[in-house]
Amino acid sequence: MNQAKKYRKYYEALDLIGCKHVSTPRQIKNGTRVFRLPFKDAWNHHIEFATYESGYVRKICKVGYAPCYQINQTRKIKAHFQKIEDGIHAGFYRRRWSYTERILIPGNGDRLEYLFNYIMRNYFRAKPRFSRKIDMEWLDFTAKWQYGEFGFDSCDSDTQDDILKRLQQ
């Protein structure tokens, strides 16, 4: 599928889930596309993502509580020696340490597809709720820390019922 068709397909998919295209004219001229989710985060700020012509996809934070960060996939680059080709140290080798490198996404449609999949995976799919196995050890712990009792067996029947109802929610 060529990039224009893929871009249109995922642009319409983002529109269907309520994401708005909020790029400024200058950003569009530079090849940047910014999308805003239909809901806000815990601090009541907009959640925005940007795709760049250089191949990066980032989560944008306009307020100082968290920095912007890249959501591209990464790969590890092992340490190696690199030959210096020019300058006064030409012919010598220098050591490059291990580092992590971002995998750039070349096509505009591919970047939008990656962004759509990221948003669906992290914001729209229900995450399974942690369900702990209810045993006597957990009942004793709950009775001690929530009700100040010595254990589940030392509680009266109303408190025991309340503990069981809370743990089963």
Side-chain angles (χ1 to χ4, degrees):
M1 182 183 297
N2 66 13
Q3 294 297 314
K5 287 181 183 178
K6 188 182 276 192
Y7 182 84
R8 183 167 178 82
K9 174 184 171 186
Y10 284 102
Y11 185 86
E12 290 172 359
L14 283 170
D15 191 42
L16 284 174
I17 62 173
C19 291
K20 294 181 182 175
H21 183 244
V22 292
S23 302
T24 62
R26 184 178 185 105
Q27 288 173 326
I28 292 171
K29 180 182 173 189
N30 292 336
T32 303
R33 303 291 183 264
V34 180
F35 298 93
R36 180 179 293 161
L37 293 182
F39 46 83
K40 296 184 179 184
D41 63 4
W43 294 274
N44 202 24
H45 296 113
H46 293 290
I47 302 171
E48 295 181 349
F49 294 92
T51 63
Y52 297 89
E53 189 145 343
S54 60
Y56 289 104
V57 181
R58 289 188 174 114
K59 180 176 181 192
I60 304 294
C61 302
K62 293 187 177 179
V63 183
Y65 70 90
C68 301
Y69 57 90
Q70 299 167 2
I71 60 175
N72 290 55
Q73 293 180 341
T74 60
R75 67 174 162 234
K76 297 274 186 188
I77 306 295
K78 293 183 179 182
H80 62 280
F81 287 96
Q82 180 180 10
K83 186 174 184 178
I84 301 173
E85 300 293 333
D86 55 353
I88 60 171
H89 300 291
F92 291 107
Y93 290 87
R94 71 178 187 139
R95 181 169 184 169
R96 296 280 302 182
W97 298 98
S98 299
Y99 60 96
T100 303
E101 179 179 76
R102 297 285 171 184
I103 300 171
L104 300 180
I105 305 169
N108 205 6
D110 293 333
R111 285 191 295 273
L112 207 58
E113 177 185 11
Y114 183 80
L115 175 63
F116 177 76
N117 291 333
Y118 180 85
I119 289 171
M120 291 303 292
R121 181 177 62 244
N122 292 299
Y123 292 95
F124 283 93
R125 291 214 175 108
K127 294 185 168 77
R129 193 171 178 193
F130 175 73
S131 58
R132 180 179 170 88
K133 180 181 172 188
I134 299 173
D135 55 358
M136 280 308 293
E137 181 182 341
W138 186 246
L139 291 172
D140 289 338
F141 176 80
T142 305
K144 180 179 179 183
W145 292 105
Q146 287 186 350
Y147 295 95
E149 300 288 338
F150 291 108
F152 185 74
D153 295 331
S154 65
C155 298
D156 61 347
S157 63
D158 292 334
T159 308
Q160 287 179 349
D161 290 341
D162 190 38
I163 291 171
L164 287 172
K165 284 180 184 175
R166 284 181 176 224
L167 289 177
Q168 291 175 354
Q169 288 179 352

